[in-house]
């Protein structure tokens, strides 16, 4: 104050200094706009947070310096964004409306990014083995699914008498519980809330695509694997989780994984392509029908296993389909005839299919990929043509 002493009317120098004749002009730096850059910050002394204002520590924490990233969770807690979103419905000028609009767009973008990250984290579950998944179903509550199970096909009249006299033997009592478990899994749908279900789905995707990363629950990537749409669960009608369990066995077993890769590669051929996963579901349906018609009872009794026999028959049927499709240059137009004949072979000659799988495993996948199949005398499979009499079988043997 000493510099103002001696002025007229203020002998003691107590009056405040005179105001400048020209108003102070604020300088704004040109550059990309950041949230909060154009909004004044109030200070306890009533001063603006612009040039010459002191920034409080809590404000420095809310508005980090440029170049430093903030996690999405912190960005969602940004006080300015929340305030702007809350004020979105209030009347304001054109400039404020534009700022509120940008804040709303930023807020929606944050929500979309975070939901996408959650989908990625959900798909990052570790792979699951077939035995671990089977143990889950052995202990899970499948009471509602078991109510829908029909263990065997009901026959009446002459068909029942012929089956009793000349049909295959009945499944032994100690194996009937395992048969009911397999059929209960076929009645169990894909559940997004069951972590094991999602792990099975993710493991199949990773093994087929040879990817280390997971994938979203829904999307066009499932169509690339051979499902009909963005949701694989809609294609499991009639096979349920057993359809995914058999595919899981196919890709997790070290002896059949090379075959799975070869079939998946063939399914993406330029002219011989076919929906891989839909074909897999149809083969599982054939296996279920053969089980219910007691066509596999003899083999199950011999090995004292049910689910293992089902898995081997599934792999053997897929192997037979692969060989015929590849070497006879089949296309999707031939799928109906091939599946009908495959169903006939699975029901009438399951032992022959299982022996072909055993020979494939013992010989090795490398040799099988180079040589055409050489069936033994009497083992040839003749397929009906368009003009030949069609083979009428129970159940559906066609692509879904």
């Amino acid at each position: 104050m000493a510099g103002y002493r001696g002025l007229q009317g203020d002998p003691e120098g107590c009056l405040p200094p005179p105001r400048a004749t020209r108003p102070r002009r604020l300088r704004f730096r040109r550059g990309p706009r950041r949230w909060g850059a154009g909004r004044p910050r109030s200070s306890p002394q009533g001063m603006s947070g612009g040039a010459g204002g002191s920034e409080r520590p809590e404000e420095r924490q809310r508005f980090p310096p440029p170049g430093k990233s903030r996690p999405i969770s912190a960005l969602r807690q940004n006080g300015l964004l929340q305030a702007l979103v809350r004020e979105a419905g209030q009347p304001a000028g054109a400039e404020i409306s534009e700022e509120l609009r940008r804040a709303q767009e930023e807020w929606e973008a944050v929500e979309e990014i975070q939901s996408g990250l959650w989908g990625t984290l959900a798909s990052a579950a570790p792979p699951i083995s077939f035995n671990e998944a089977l143990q889950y179903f052995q202990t899970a509550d499948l009471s509602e699914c078991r109510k829908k199970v029909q263990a065997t096909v009901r026959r009446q009249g002459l068909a029942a008498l012929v089956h009793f006299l000349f049909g295959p033997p009945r499944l032994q009592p100690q194996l009937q519980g395992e048969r009911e478990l397999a059929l209960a899994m076929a009645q169990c749908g894909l559940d997004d809330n069951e972590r094991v279900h999602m792990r099975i789905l993710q493991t199949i995707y990773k093994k087929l695509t040879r990817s280390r990363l997971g994938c979203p629950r829904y999307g066009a990537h499932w169509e690339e694997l051979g499902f009909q749409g963005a949701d694989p669960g809609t294609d499991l009608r009639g096979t349920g989780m057993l359809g995914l369990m058999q595919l899981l066995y196919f890709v997790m077993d070290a002896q059949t994984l090379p075959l799975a890769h070869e079939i998946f590669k063939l399914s993406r051929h330029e002219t011989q392509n076919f929906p891989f996963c839909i074909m897999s579901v149809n083969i599982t349906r054939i296996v279920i029908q053969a089980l219910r018609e007691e066509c596999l009872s003899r083999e199950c009794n011999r090995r004292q296993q049910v689910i293992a026999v089902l898995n081997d028959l599934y792999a053997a049927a897929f192997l037979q389909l692969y060989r015929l499709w590849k070497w006879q240059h089949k296309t999707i137009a031939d799928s109906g005839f091939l599946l009908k004949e495959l169903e006939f072979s699975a029901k009438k000659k399951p032992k022959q299919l299982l022996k072909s799988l055993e020979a494939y495993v013992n010989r090795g996948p490398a040799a099988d990929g180079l040589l055409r199949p050489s069936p033994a005398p009497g083992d040839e499979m003749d397929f009906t043509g368009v003009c030949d009499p069609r083979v009428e079988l129970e159940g559906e043997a066609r692509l879904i």
Side-chain angles (χ1 to χ4, degrees), residues 81 363 384:
L81 282 178
R363 185 169 64 251
T384 57

Side-chain angles (χ1 to χ4, degrees), residues 2 88 120 179 217 260 302 305 320 343 368:
T120 304
R179 177 179 62 184
R217 169 64 178 86
R302 186 184 69 84
Q305 294 174 318
Q320 187 69 19
E343 181 179 354
D368 187 83

Side-chain angles (χ1 to χ4, degrees), residues 20 73 112 131 178 183 188-189 193 201 209 217 236-237 282 287 292 298 310 335 348 360 364 372 380 390:
S73 59
E112 292 177 359
N131 289 334
E178 190 176 352
L183 295 177
C188 179
N193 298 322
L201 201 59
T209 60
R217 169 64 178 86
L236 302 178
R237 297 180 297 271
N282 278 271
V287 172
R292 294 182 64 245
R298 191 186 306 276
L310 298 183
S335 59
K348 301 302 180 181
Y360 165 84
R372 292 173 179 265
E380 295 86 353
R390 298 184 62 182

Side-chain angles (χ1 to χ4, degrees), residues 165-317:
L165 295 176
F166 306 103
R170 292 181 177 273
L171 190 68
Q172 295 177 0
Q174 65 269 23
L175 299 176
Q176 293 178 5
E178 190 176 352
R179 177 179 62 184
E180 292 181 1
L181 174 62
L183 295 177
M185 287 191 292
Q187 296 292 335
C188 179
L190 183 63
D191 189 352
D192 292 358
N193 298 322
E194 289 291 348
R195 188 169 183 267
V196 172
H197 291 198
M198 296 298 102
R199 288 179 63 191
I200 293 173
L201 201 59
Q202 290 293 325
T203 302
I204 292 172
Y205 174 83
K206 292 178 182 178
K207 283 293 184 177
L208 284 178
T209 60
R210 306 182 185 185
S211 172
R212 296 182 180 180
L213 302 177
C215 63
R217 169 64 178 86
Y218 303 93
H221 48 276
W222 296 117
E223 298 181 38
E224 298 178 2
L225 260 64
F227 287 103
Q228 292 187 104
D231 181 11
T234 60
D235 295 331
L236 302 178
R237 297 180 297 271
T239 64
M241 287 303 298
L242 183 62
L244 289 184
M245 283 290 287
Q246 291 208 306
L247 188 52
L248 177 69
Y249 163 80
F250 201 38
V251 299
M252 290 301 290
D253 188 273
Q255 294 179 321
T256 58
L257 178 60
L259 175 62
H261 283 156
E262 287 296 321
I263 299 176
F264 183 62
K265 179 181 178 181
L266 179 63
S267 71
R268 302 166 67 88
H269 191 269
E270 183 178 357
T271 58
Q272 292 186 269
N273 58 82
F274 59 88
F276 176 85
C277 289
I278 294 298
M279 192 68 74
S280 171
V281 169
N282 278 271
I283 293 177
T284 299
R285 181 179 297 169
I286 291 174
V287 172
I288 293 174
Q289 193 67 18
L291 175 66
R292 294 182 64 245
E293 293 185 15
E294 302 180 281
C295 302
L296 309 178
S297 298
R298 191 186 306 276
E299 185 66 20
C300 292
N301 291 340
R302 186 184 69 84
R303 294 173 54 175
Q304 288 295 298
Q305 294 174 318
V306 176
I307 294 180
V309 173
L310 298 183
N311 290 338
D312 287 346
L313 184 63
Y314 163 88

